[in-house]
Amino acid sequence: RYGVSVLYCRNTMVSLKLQARLAADVLRCGRGRVWLDPNEASEISNANSRKSIRKLVKDGYIIRKPENVSSRARWRATKEAKAMGRHKGVGRREGSRESRMPSKELWMRRLRVLRRLLRKYRAEKKIDRHLYRALYQKAKGNVFRNKHNLMEHIHKMKNEKRREKQLAEQLNAKKTKEEACRNKARKQELKRRRKEAAEAQTAAVAAKKAQVAAKKAPA
């Protein structure tokens, strides 16, 4: 009963006001938080300097009591109940829906989430600056409901772009192949014509020789 903030020990009638004041100064707290051991009152009464008070603190004869704090147990229980939807009925609400959670605040939160995701993707080189600007304007125009919706749109656009690139590559490959086939056919046709021309020229030379030989023959 008399061990809390002891200034007098009733059994021996020893005044400990000085020791309590010095202990409060050493422990850097108020006198109400200083506990002096009533069983060691005679030894504590002999301490008349801060050095001796520090020794008593080290020995455990003088203690700084912890601060009194309000229990958070009831608050935690209420918080868990509110997370399940309790204590949030019509009778508990004060103010309109707009005043309790403004639509502007919801819009700002959603837009900041979307813009943060776009900046992250741009920094990671997942989207280029042109796609970033296009998606930024769409987010500002309330096109995306949430982050998941924006991610789906990005994947869809990237897949379409990849598909267009593949189709363009296939078309270029087809054009290259057709061009190669045309060049090959053109070369073969040119070769055939040269061969026919050479054969015709050879036949003409042979016919001319035959005519000359027929003229020279005796009648």
Side-chain angles (χ1 to χ4, degrees):
R1 179 179 177 185
Y2 301 105
V4 179
S5 302
V6 173
L7 299 182
Y8 295 94
C9 185
R10 183 163 295 186
N11 295 333
T12 58
M13 296 299 292
V14 177
S15 174
L16 302 178
K17 277 187 176 184
L18 173 64
Q19 288 75 14
R21 180 177 65 80
L22 294 176
D25 188 30
V26 169
L27 297 176
R28 297 181 181 276
C29 64
R31 291 190 183 185
R33 290 182 60 193
V34 175
W35 180 83
L36 307 176
D37 192 348
N39 299 324
E40 304 293 339
S42 59
E43 186 172 351
I44 294 174
S45 64
N46 294 329
N48 57 3
S49 65
R50 287 175 171 78
K51 183 176 180 180
S52 56
I53 292 294
R54 290 191 187 93
K55 185 177 183 302
L56 294 175
V57 170
K58 185 177 181 181
D59 295 339
Y61 296 159
I62 299 177
I63 299 174
R64 181 175 61 179
K65 295 189 295 183
E67 294 181 358
N68 293 326
V69 295
S70 301
S71 174
R72 302 279 286 176
R74 292 183 298 276
W75 176 85
R76 282 193 290 268
T78 305
K79 185 180 178 182
E80 291 177 0
K82 285 185 177 181
M84 292 188 291
R86 280 37 166 189
H87 315 295
K88 287 189 174 184
V90 178
R92 284 278 186 167
R93 301 173 192 168
E94 292 185 3
S96 64
R97 179 188 298 178
E98 185 68 18
S99 64
R100 287 165 60 87
M101 179 53 68
S103 58
K104 182 177 180 180
E105 181 69 23
L106 295 174
W107 165 256
M108 288 165 56
R109 290 181 185 179
R110 178 154 59 100
L111 203 60
R112 285 171 180 170
V113 168
L114 299 178
R115 289 177 175 174
R116 195 179 305 122
L117 179 65
L118 289 175
R119 286 195 301 271
K120 178 183 175 183
Y121 276 16
R122 184 181 61 176
E124 294 175 355
K125 306 297 183 182
K126 292 185 177 179
I127 58 176
D128 58 359
R129 58 190 182 90
H130 305 290
L131 185 57
Y132 168 83
R133 181 52 53 189
L135 294 175
Y136 189 97
Q137 295 296 336
K138 286 187 177 182
K140 183 179 180 181
N142 198 20
V143 174
F144 309 115
R145 297 187 302 275
N146 47 42
K147 185 167 74 172
H148 184 69
N149 187 223
L150 175 58
M151 292 171 64
E152 286 182 348
H153 186 79
I154 291 174
H155 292 318
K156 184 178 178 182
M157 290 187 69
K158 291 177 71 174
N159 290 335
E160 289 179 356
K161 193 173 182 180
R162 192 181 302 112
R163 194 179 302 111
E164 291 176 358
K165 186 177 179 181
Q166 290 177 355
L167 290 175
E169 289 177 354
Q170 292 176 2
L171 185 60
N172 290 333
K174 186 178 179 182
K175 287 181 178 180
T176 304
K177 185 177 180 180
E178 290 177 353
E179 184 68 23
C181 291
R182 283 196 298 269
N183 292 335
K184 185 178 179 181
R186 193 178 297 114
K187 288 180 180 179
Q188 289 178 354
E189 180 67 20
L190 185 60
K191 186 177 180 181
R192 185 183 62 80
R193 290 183 179 180
R194 286 177 180 176
K195 185 178 180 180
E196 289 179 354
E199 290 177 353
Q201 188 176 3
T202 305
V205 171
K208 190 174 183 180
K209 286 182 179 181
Q211 289 179 1
V212 173
K215 288 181 179 180
K216 289 182 178 180

